[in-house]
Amino acid sequence: MSGTPPWHVQEAEADPAKRAFTRDELQAFFDHADKQVGRVRGLGRKGWLPAFRDAMLFKTAYAFGLRRNEARMLDVVDFGRNPRGPEFGEYGVLYVRHGKAKKGSPPKRRSVLTVFDWSAEILQQWNEEVRPLFPTAKPGALWPSERSARVGFTQMNTRFGTYRDSLGLDRGLDFHSFRRSYVTHLIEDGWDARFVQEQVGHEHASTTSIYTCVSSDFRTRTLRRVLDTTITAALQLERKPQ
């Protein structure tokens, strides 16, 4: 029987019409999100708080390779120390409690180790300085909304789409592109593929490989490195006394 095994279908999240951010696009998106906070606050409007929240939410989704629901359902207590990464303080590991579930199974849990120092910094700022300003902030949800304890999908999607369209980026980018970008950028930066697979909670390495949208520049550099290594090895072999 040909085709994808039924137990693997649950992991098939990659839509060929979707893609990862390039590094420049991602930086532009985050810069735009930060600028909107300053712009709204400068106008004296109350909307700077949700704008700040969404900027932090988007960055956190990328920093830990999260799916949309995983990011939305984060609680304040879902972070902890990593003895092997003391420099990250209280944000050395993220415990995902609402991972994608297979049919008939409870949400899948996993731990994600912090790899970006800036992510610990922004989370500390959010929790200590900004989140308490929300009147709905109570022990529990990491991302409160203006009227309820937890931000909704509509708010997340609307903000993402507004920023993407304002920057003139194509619709191949969606919230899940943060996760695709996380996988792609770690692989490009030389992180072990198995480590990346464990970080994002993929049961199959093939799923992680589908997510990997490495840039043409990365492929060119990889090819050049392999060719140079091969040529060097061949020259050394020729120089060996017979």
Side-chain angles (χ1 to χ4, degrees), residues 19-23 62 177-190 196 208-215 218:
R19 65 177 179 85
F21 286 90
T22 67
R23 293 177 189 264
Y62 168 71
S177 293
F178 292 130
R179 182 170 165 86
R180 298 185 189 96
S181 303
Y182 176 82
V183 171
T184 298
H185 296 165
L186 288 190
I187 293 296
E188 286 188 343
D189 289 342
V196 178
T208 307
S209 67
I210 291 172
Y211 270 53
T212 308
C213 313
V214 294
S215 66
F218 173 79

Side-chain angles (χ1 to χ4, degrees), residues 42-217:
L43 294 174
R45 298 176 182 174
K46 297 180 180 179
W48 76 269
L49 274 176
F52 195 109
R53 174 203 61 212
D54 293 343
M56 296 299 100
L57 193 161
F58 294 149
K59 293 175 184 178
T60 300
Y62 168 71
F64 294 93
L66 302 177
R67 300 176 177 92
R68 185 178 59 164
N69 190 55
E70 292 172 352
R72 175 180 176 268
M73 294 302 294
L74 288 179
D75 284 348
V76 175
V77 297
D78 289 339
F79 295 90
R81 286 183 170 272
N82 177 6
R84 301 292 182 111
E87 63 267 38
F88 300 124
E90 300 297 328
Y91 301 96
V93 58
L94 167 61
Y95 300 100
V96 177
R97 296 178 296 106
H98 295 273
K100 185 178 180 181
K102 293 186 177 180
K103 188 174 182 180
S105 301
K108 191 176 181 180
R109 298 189 176 206
R110 73 178 185 280
S111 59
V112 185
L113 302 181
T114 302
V115 297
F116 302 123
D117 53 3
W118 56 263
S119 61
E121 295 173 3
I122 66 169
L123 284 164
Q124 183 175 8
Q125 180 189 23
W126 168 253
N127 274 322
E128 295 181 2
E129 301 176 19
V130 184
R131 182 180 176 276
L133 299 178
F134 276 83
T136 55
K138 299 176 182 178
L142 183 64
W143 314 112
S145 76
E146 304 90 301
R147 297 184 177 83
S148 60
R150 194 180 301 275
V151 68
F153 286 127
T154 299
Q155 293 167 291
M156 294 166 61
N157 293 340
T158 299
R159 182 84 69 178
F160 181 93
T162 299
Y163 288 176
R164 177 197 61 201
D165 297 344
S166 295
L167 290 168
L169 301 175
D170 66 73
R171 291 183 175 271
L173 296 170
D174 59 8
F175 192 97
H176 209 75
S177 293
F178 292 130
R179 182 170 165 86
R180 298 185 189 96
S181 303
Y182 176 82
V183 171
T184 298
H185 296 165
L186 288 190
I187 293 296
E188 286 188 343
D189 289 342
W191 290 83
D192 182 79
R194 182 55 190 267
F195 173 81
V196 178
Q197 179 185 342
E198 294 290 337
Q199 287 280 93
V200 295
H202 285 158
E203 183 176 350
H204 304 278
S206 57
T207 308
T208 307
S209 67
I210 291 172
Y211 270 53
T212 308
C213 313
V214 294
S215 66
S216 58
D217 179 60

